[in-house]
Amino acid sequence: MARSRDQQRRAYALDFPDYAQEFLRRNPEYRRQYSELQSMGSGTRLSAWRRMAKPWGLEFPVRALMPPCA
C-alpha cells in the first residue's frame, strides 16, 4: 500500500511514545480490553486497570523521589 508524502512525514515525526500509543490505539485486543474496563463504570478498581495495563507495558515502576545531586 503506497503512502502519501504527508503520511510518511507524520510517521517519521513520531517519537517512541507516540509510536507506541498509535500501536495500542489500533490494536483490536487492547481496544477490547480497554472498552471492557470502561464499561464497568467509575467504580472499577485500580487493580483491574493495573492488571490490564501491565502486559501492554503501560505500568512503570515508581521511583523514590530523590533530591537532585549537587
Side-chain angles (χ1 to χ4, degrees), residues 2-69:
R3 286 183 159 184
S4 72
R5 289 200 187 275
D6 188 46
Q7 287 174 320
Q8 287 177 349
R9 265 186 246 125
R10 280 184 284 175
Y12 288 125
L14 296 176
D15 61 8
F16 187 73
D18 291 335
Y19 184 80
Q21 182 179 359
E22 277 299 305
F23 171 81
L24 290 175
R25 186 177 72 85
R26 296 168 188 234
N27 185 294
E29 181 59 19
Y30 172 81
R31 291 175 62 166
R32 184 193 65 73
Q33 290 177 17
Y34 184 85
S35 179
E36 188 177 294
L37 280 175
Q38 270 193 320
S39 69
M40 291 179 182
S42 61
T44 306
R45 299 182 64 78
L46 183 58
S47 59
W49 284 101
R50 286 184 173 157
R51 279 193 309 276
M52 182 265 188
K54 192 169 185 172
W56 293 102
L58 298 175
E59 188 172 56
F60 303 97
V62 176
R63 295 184 182 161
L65 295 176
M66 298 177 64
C69 296

